[in-house]
Amino acid sequence: MSSIAQSAIAKLKEAGLGDVLHVPGEQAYQAKEASLAPFSQRLGPWAIVQPRNTEEVSKALKAIVSTEGLKFAVRSGGHMWVDNSNNIKDGVTIDLTLLTKRTYNPETKLVSLEPGSRWKDVYRDLVSQGLLVVGGREAEVGVGGFLIGGGISFFIASKGWSCDTIVNYEVVLADGSIVQANKTTNPDLYLALKGGSFNFGIVTRFDLESMEAKKIWCGMAVYPKTASDQVVDAYVDFVHNLAANPDDYAFLYSYHAPLVKDYTISINVSDVNGVANPKPLQKFLAIPDPISKPEDFKVKTLYEKLADYVVPSANYTNWEAITVQVDARTMRKAATEYEALIEKLRKAIPDDNFKAQMVTQPILKSWADISAAKGGNVLGIENLPGDCLNILIGIEVQSLELRDKVGRPAVKALLAAVKSFAKSINKDADWLYLNYCTDDQEPFSTYGAENVKLLKAVAAKYDPNRVFQERVPGGFKISKASDKKEKVRSYQKL
Ligand SMILES: Cc1cc2nc3c(=O)[nH]c(=O)nc-3n(C[C@H](O)[C@H](O)[C@H](O)COP(=O)(O)OP(=O)(O)OC[C@H]3O[C@@H](n4cnc5c(N)ncnc54)[C@H](O)[C@@H]3O)c2cc1C
């Protein structure tokens, strides 16, 4: 063990964290590492420390920062697929999964969440009290990473980004001090945290607006790929009407499973008031011959919905997304390129042993108005050229080598082709959603020069020694962002 590792472990023990400190060989350490998916995040840190409360986060951070040369990572739900973002090879990982307090204050009507909870657990507690928050859509995603990246929920069209509903953050800064950030106390930090990710401190509590729990009507209709054209037309129509019907949401999900001849397209719909077959979604439901029938649609609590929806994550995955303006021609191009991707991977990967997915979701420019009414965020969607679609491509393969040498380049080529097509018809958009980015993408530069300036100034003010820029190698660093008006890089170079 290196002298830095020894010193770090000694300091964490001195800080009173010995009983929540795990090192290689211990069962708790092995179990934590084994629980990480994607597999590429199983990096074998020198030690994992699991604080039980905010004070212990502060003690851990002080011990780590005072160990010269020590690098570290922070993890909540561990769902970010970007390499090194929630774990570290030569360093210490602060794992927040014991921070799972979830409380409701009936006087303020605020729900307070610690970062280590999973969304299905949040909804189970809240729904049992007749409450909800604007949170995640998948059972196992963590509260921490989801909320600091923005957060797309089933309610986004009516309530805005999840971060827009946060009224206060409790944050441990790099020097170990514990501060609050809200509209009146540290308001610059408050604004920066609304989409600015892990650049300013470790968030140990989010206070969110609550709302009354309603049942949600939802379901998935699965179509053969031959329905692609009809699905595209129905989707464009749906997105154009979404602002007027914000309670009805839909995203598209194309899926290739190993050894299945053709991919399928599913339409995932929901009405957050529990209304079955709402008018804005009827065009979808009228597409003939689904593989699964409309009777599969049900009215559920959000907890029941999430309990049914766990994205199986195993093997080596990579997801990467772009944004383009809403246009049927670009969607058709994406469908053609997605099919070409499957064929390319089939040739390179024996036994068809891979999964490939394409998720298409709306990003409406008008959502910026919802955010502005709540005090704003730093995502910069007010700069979009119009209403947009986010196209997210995921692959799952059996080895790191296949992911990096075959899967990733193929996904990049697909996205480059779609972007270049969108550009050729003047329907491109220069925006990346941080929570859907991969390693070599740089989202902050696409949030606009003003937001980048603000984020850099807030990072310099609250972390003057650049601890989170220089000693946390993983995640998206504001110091790497350009505050010049610059286009999205990597796709234009390809
Ligand atoms: C199956 C799946 C479904 C998804 N669905 C959605 C969706 O519906 N909507 C959406 O918007 N996104 C979605 N995402 C993306 C998701 O929001 C991000 O991957 C998010 O980062 C996951 O949060 P986490 O806490 O699980 O991640 P982690 O990997 O633990 O953390 C992500 C990043 O945040 C940092 N971080 C974590 N906690 C803290 C904290 N408390 N303080 C400071 N920094 C912290 C970490 O260091 C890391 O850099 C999905 C991802 C997956 C894999």
Side-chain angles (χ1 to χ4, degrees), residues 32 50-54 56-57 75-78 95-104 111-126 129 139-144 170 203-208:
K32 201 75 235 175
Q50 294 192 285
R52 287 162 291 206
N53 51 49
T54 303
E56 287 193 348
V57 173
R75 168 164 69 232
S76 283
D95 178 295
L96 302 174
T97 51
L98 298 184
L99 290 182
T100 56
K101 238 188 249 162
R102 306 181 281 272
T103 55
Y104 173 63
V111 167
S112 294
L113 300 177
E114 289 186 337
S117 288
R118 313 286 168 153
W119 285 107
K120 77 166 183 315
D121 299 320
V122 172
Y123 294 139
R124 187 191 52 233
D125 280 11
L126 291 180
Q129 300 173 66
E140 297 295 328
V141 165
V143 164
E170 178 184 79
V203 180
T204 47
R205 201 187 71 237
F206 301 86
D207 299 330
L208 296 107

Side-chain angles (χ1 to χ4, degrees), residues 217 247-248 270-271 275-283 285:
W217 176 81
D247 292 336
D248 300 311
S270 54
D271 177 285
V275 177
N277 303 325
K279 203 161 171 241
L281 297 174
Q282 281 173 5
K283 198 160 179 181
L285 306 175

Side-chain angles (χ1 to χ4, degrees), residues 41 73-81 85-86 96 115 118 136-138 140-148 150-153 161 197-198 201-204 206 309 311 313 319 361 433-436 472 474-476:
Q41 296 288 29
V74 168
R75 168 164 69 232
S76 283
H79 268 56
M80 191 177 253
W81 48 76
S85 61
N86 51 44
L96 302 174
R118 313 286 168 153
R137 293 180 295 184
E138 199 265 356
E140 297 295 328
V141 165
V143 164
F146 174 91
L147 286 178
I148 60 170
I152 298 179
S153 73
W161 298 84
S197 196
F198 185 21
I202 301 178
V203 180
T204 47
F206 301 86
Y309 186 58
V311 175
S313 44
W319 291 85
Q361 320 185 47
Y433 176 37
L434 183 145
N435 275 353
Y436 289 167
V472 178
F476 295 103

